[in-house]
Amino acid sequence: MTRHLLYLSILLPITMLISCRNGIVNNGNAGNLPAGTGNRYASHFSLTRYDHYTVLDIIDPWQGASGVRHRWYLVDKENGDGHITPEDGRVVVVPVKNIVCMSATHVAMISALGMAGTITGVSGIDLVYDPVVRELVDKGLVKEVGYEESINRELLVRLSPDLIISYGIGGESVAHYSKLDELGLRFLYNAEYLEQEPLGKAEWIMVFGALFCLGEKADSIFRASEAEYIKIRDEVTKKGGKRPAVLLGLPWRDSWFISPGNSYISRLIEDAGGEYLWKDVISELSMPMNLENVYTRAVTADYWLNPGTAESLAQISSTDPRLSSLKVFRRGNIYSNNGRVTISGANDYWELGSVRPGLILKDIASILDEELFTGDSLVFYRKLK
């Protein structure tokens, strides 16, 4: 799997100073901080704005986390005193000028804000699709920094980033990143991959907007993405009709990891007019199942999406010959989300798709109902042959 926009703006009187304080309201002082609110979809971060700084809370930032909250004070050096020394969080001066990304999704949101030039390091550099960042890579301006146990700490120290945007698959990730902390390197967990709402993932651009003092621009990008998504979803709802059954994934070794019904992709399928086969299963994690259990339910599938790394129908049948007997296989209704992939394996589904989930939604809706969006080509998906 590839390793992988925003807060609601608050209008200020035009007489207020314009700087990184755009969108910041005076809620008091740092002595009595409320929990940040204002997100419309995202549940893993909050932003609370004050006169000269913003409080960013990252909430339950890895799978299985419960009650974990990391607090950051984003201090506007130009307009603040720059000397906040809180006991319950960490301080970073904004706007950040030098950043390292541990996921291509982070790259996409930074690039969308026009700040690709601040990226000096990336984990999994071959998996970056963004053409602007790829050009920086080719010029040697963006370095490969490695991942977890293979992180190049010496390089990170030389790059001296203002912030490392990391992510944690589980609690064990804490140990890897704590070693960076010992070197004086700041790392901020990004939990967008845990968001169950497609627009919740997209709303994380608001975090990057706060880091770069581009809150208004981030808000504009997100509102456009939100409007696009809702328009497509409403067109699907208006069309109505029977909801085709959708299968996801592909067995890996001896297990088929099933996304739960409360997952990001399940919501996309629902909003696109489909019925995910495991829509009633609620879980915080993907669930390993044996092929026999999946096959029993898969016989009813009308469409099959995201079949792992399979590039053809032949590759699917070679995984297990029984799969070729499924109705959905015989009808050829199998679509992979690798329609925009580079030779090195970078997939724009995880980059542009994270900023504009409406494009993914439209693809899936078009697949499930050929009468919708006729004449428009698929962006991220392609039919396997």
Side-chain angles (χ1 to χ4, degrees), residues 64-275:
S66 178
V68 178
R69 183 180 293 263
H70 294 172
R71 173 158 287 181
W72 287 85
Y73 292 80
L74 312 183
V75 179
D76 178 6
K77 186 176 182 179
E78 179 181 351
N79 293 306
D81 60 17
H83 297 296
I84 295 177
T85 55
E87 295 181 359
D88 61 341
R90 305 186 70 180
V91 173
V92 61
V93 175
V94 294
V96 295
K97 303 293 187 181
N98 177 347
I99 200 163
V100 167
C101 302
M102 304 305 290
S103 168
T105 303
H106 312 157
V107 169
M109 294 191 175
I110 294 171
S111 185
L113 289 168
M115 300 304 293
T118 65
I119 301 172
T120 57
V122 173
S123 175
I125 210 164
D126 290 338
L127 300 178
V128 174
Y129 187 95
D130 186 274
V132 175
V133 179
R134 288 251 44 104
E135 184 176 352
L136 295 173
V137 171
D138 293 340
K139 292 179 178 179
L141 300 176
V142 178
K143 307 294 185 181
E144 169 63 59
V145 299
Y147 177 68
E148 291 202 341
E149 66 274 4
S150 64
I151 285 180
N152 188 333
R153 299 185 185 90
E154 292 183 0
L155 173 60
L156 284 173
V157 170
R158 290 201 303 272
L159 293 176
S160 187
D162 299 324
L163 205 59
I164 299 170
I165 307 297
S166 58
Y167 71 97
I169 297 299
E172 64 274 9
S173 299
V174 176
H176 295 292
Y177 289 117
S178 64
K179 295 178 182 178
L180 301 183
D181 193 45
E182 294 170 1
L183 296 173
L185 296 167
R186 293 185 177 93
F187 60 93
L188 184 152
Y189 279 108
N190 183 307
E192 55 80 22
Y193 81 100
L194 294 173
E195 298 290 351
Q196 297 172 356
E197 294 283 344
L199 287 172
K201 290 172 68 71
E203 198 168 15
W204 273 79
I205 199 171
M206 293 307 298
V207 172
F208 291 100
L211 292 174
F212 291 111
C213 292
L214 293 173
E216 290 184 355
K217 185 173 184 177
D219 184 65
S220 177
I221 293 171
F222 177 69
R223 286 181 181 275
S225 179
E226 178 188 37
E228 177 181 51
Y229 190 97
I230 291 174
K231 183 175 185 280
I232 295 167
R233 185 185 65 193
D234 288 349
E235 289 188 46
V236 172
T237 301
K238 183 179 179 180
K239 175 70 163 50
K242 182 182 177 181
R243 288 181 168 268
V246 179
L247 172 68
L248 291 172
L250 193 72
W252 185 69
R253 294 183 178 174
D254 297 324
S255 296
W256 194 315
F257 285 84
I258 299 298
S259 295
N262 57 322
S263 64
Y264 163 83
I265 186 63
S266 177
R267 175 49 63 89
L268 277 166
I269 291 170
E270 179 183 354
D271 289 347
E275 185 169 285

Side-chain angles (χ1 to χ4, degrees), residues 25-36:
V25 296
N26 184 357
N27 285 334
N29 55 57
N32 185 21
L33 293 176

